[in-house]
Amino acid sequence: MSGISSLGYLGLGVKDVPGWEKFATQILGLQSAGIREDGTLRLRMDEYVCRFSLHRDDADDLAYVGWEVANPAALREIAERLRGAGVAVEAGSAELAAARGVAELVRFADPNGIASEAFYGPSVEFEKPFHSPRAISGFKTGAQGLGHIVVATSDVDKSVRFYCDTLGFRISDFIEMKFGSARFSMAFMHCNPRHHTIALIPIPLPKKLLHFMLQCHSIDDVGATMYLVQEAGIEIAASLGRHTNDHMLSFYMRTPSGFEVEYGWGGREIDDRIWHVQKHHAPSIWGHQRAGMPR
Ligand SMILES: [Fe+2]
């Protein structure tokens, strides 16, 4: 079955677009692709003309997720499967496709009410190579897409069925978490060799988005950025650590919108021919300490 091939783009609704532009370029090392007539800030991280669109919005949260598929036939198949599952699917207009920088898209909502789009044909500019404003080696994207997102869900089983049965994701693993007396299990899913492209956390949270993750080519980018974040007085939400499931070496910083960015390196990849689902009982092998949280 044709499924989603990668996380193509993210739309964020943010209160402070100028503050985000500074944060995204000077801290994260993304490249500004300019502000469109409607005030939307576009950011690049590779050859795609746009990986992030930042819209002025009081929500300070995820506005929409752009899921890439390979071609028009795959888009038709996904749309038919969504309709077959009783999900309303709307064709995106030519104007919307131009705004997103894609050839064609459809719109739908996931079971958690997250505005979602499936598209093919991203506009790419190899003739204008990505150039980070910072001295970093750049981001691991390509077939693995822009990174991963972790979102809140009220019904993890229903969401896993939606992402796997309808959109073609596969389960990577689960992490059983304990916070005081609370126990819950997070579900991690992949659609390409990146260990997880979406993870679901089944607890009520103030925002839809817990964090998005950017993966650097070099461990030095993670270290240098961590010290830059400290010097800039930005909150480190979780200290340097290595995750149990994707083996990502990373730290988490607070964005101007309150949700977090995971900045990482060295995640292990999934080969679907041999991968088997695992269950973990801790989020990290070491580190990722949070203020006020027991180890
Ligand atoms: Fe993450």
Side-chain angles (χ1 to χ4, degrees), residues 82 92 94 100 108-109 114 118 122 150 153 160 169 176 193-194 212 237-239:
L82 283 163
R100 300 289 193 258
F108 56 96
I114 294 172
V150 178
T153 180
V160 166
F169 282 74
E176 191 181 55
R194 189 182 294 286
F212 65 81
S239 65

Side-chain angles (χ1 to χ4, degrees), residues 205-269:
L205 292 169
K207 293 179 193 286
K208 292 180 181 127
L209 183 64
L210 195 67
H211 72 258
F212 65 81
M213 188 282 304
L214 305 177
Q215 185 172 345
C216 298
H217 288 308
S218 163
I219 190 172
D220 293 327
D221 298 336
V222 176
T225 303
M226 191 182 74
Y227 283 102
L228 180 65
V229 165
Q230 282 180 334
E231 282 161 21
I234 293 166
E235 181 190 339
I236 292 186
S239 65
L240 193 66
R242 192 184 275 278
H243 280 303
T244 49
N245 62 344
D246 66 357
H247 294 184
M248 188 79 71
L249 190 144
S250 60
F251 74 97
Y252 293 68
M253 69 187 97
R254 186 82 53 203
T255 70
S257 292
F259 55 78
E260 299 171 10
V261 173
E262 180 182 8
Y263 208 77
W265 165 86
R268 64 170 164 164
E269 296 175 4

